[in-house]
Amino acid sequence: MKMMSIDPVLEAIKDFEKLRKIIGDNDELGSKFRSRTRFMLSLIEDTGLVAALSFCYSKAEHKTYENIIRIWHGEGEKLRAGEEEKKSYALYLYLVLQYLKNLGIISKDDVNSPLAAFKTLREKGTVTFRLIKSYLTHLKRFAEAVYKSEREIT
């Protein structure tokens, strides 16, 4: 798979704008996504990309992840209220895997099957995180700017 040269800031802006449309006025989901961007970036730095994304997948659960993919591509219905925690993890995981696909690090099939993505990423080594850190940092900054912290919501 050939690595692509992509501007991480522009990609983060594009993805965040779409994310905002999907989240809509669901303040709780926005707040939880904000928390994910902060927590997951630290977790990736501490435990490694595959371990952190595996954790994210376990929190999202497979069914929720599949639903997020459909909604992202306009194939499913709009997000309904409920299980915001799972949705926030699923959204974060999807954005990371989609960005890795755009970079040419993983395939579209890997995005649709996180387990396959994790296997591919294990083979790629630790360089991958350095390639996506700027993108993840910008997602975090945008989420912090737009969504309130969970403490402010409850």
Side-chain angles (χ1 to χ4, degrees):
M1 205 168 283
K2 185 179 177 187
M3 294 265 304
M4 309 267 188
S5 177
I6 293 176
D7 183 331
V9 178
L10 292 177
E11 285 295 305
I13 291 169
K14 176 183 66 89
D15 289 346
F16 191 75
E17 287 173 340
K18 184 162 185 175
L19 175 81
R20 286 188 69 196
K21 288 178 185 170
I22 289 171
I23 289 177
D25 61 358
N26 186 334
D27 292 336
E28 183 182 355
L29 180 55
S31 173
K32 288 194 178 294
F33 181 80
R34 178 186 193 269
S35 293
R36 294 305 74 78
T37 63
R38 296 167 57 89
F39 171 71
M40 289 303 299
L41 186 56
S42 296
L43 188 64
I44 292 167
E45 289 174 335
D46 292 345
T47 66
L49 185 61
V50 174
L53 293 181
S54 296
F55 172 80
C56 195
Y57 186 45
S58 75
K59 291 297 200 176
E61 296 182 359
H62 185 72
K63 183 178 175 183
T64 304
Y65 182 77
E66 285 183 328
N67 191 40
I68 289 299
I69 291 173
R70 284 191 295 278
I71 290 169
W72 190 270
H73 292 284
E75 298 166 3
E77 53 194 67
K78 287 189 160 201
L79 280 179
R80 293 187 206 171
E83 299 189 328
E84 270 61 27
E85 187 89 6
K86 288 181 185 180
K87 290 178 203 165
S88 69
Y89 278 105
L91 283 164
Y92 189 85
L93 178 61
Y94 178 74
L95 288 174
V96 172
L97 294 181
Q98 186 66 31
Y99 184 65
L100 289 166
K101 179 191 77 75
N102 292 345
L103 288 174
I105 295 171
I106 64 173
S107 71
K108 181 180 180 190
D109 290 341
D110 288 341
V111 174
N112 293 331
S113 174
L115 294 176
F118 302 153
K119 183 177 179 185
T120 301
L121 291 170
R122 291 271 307 148
E123 295 165 0
K124 301 285 182 178
T126 57
V127 173
T128 305
F129 176 61
R130 288 193 296 258
L131 296 172
I132 66 171
K133 186 174 181 178
S134 178
Y135 171 81
L136 297 178
T137 300
H138 281 87
L139 275 182
K140 177 177 86 87
R141 289 177 183 156
F142 301 150
E144 288 172 335
V146 172
Y147 298 116
K148 294 179 179 178
S149 73
E150 289 187 72
R151 286 187 301 260
E152 294 177 74
I153 295 293
T154 55

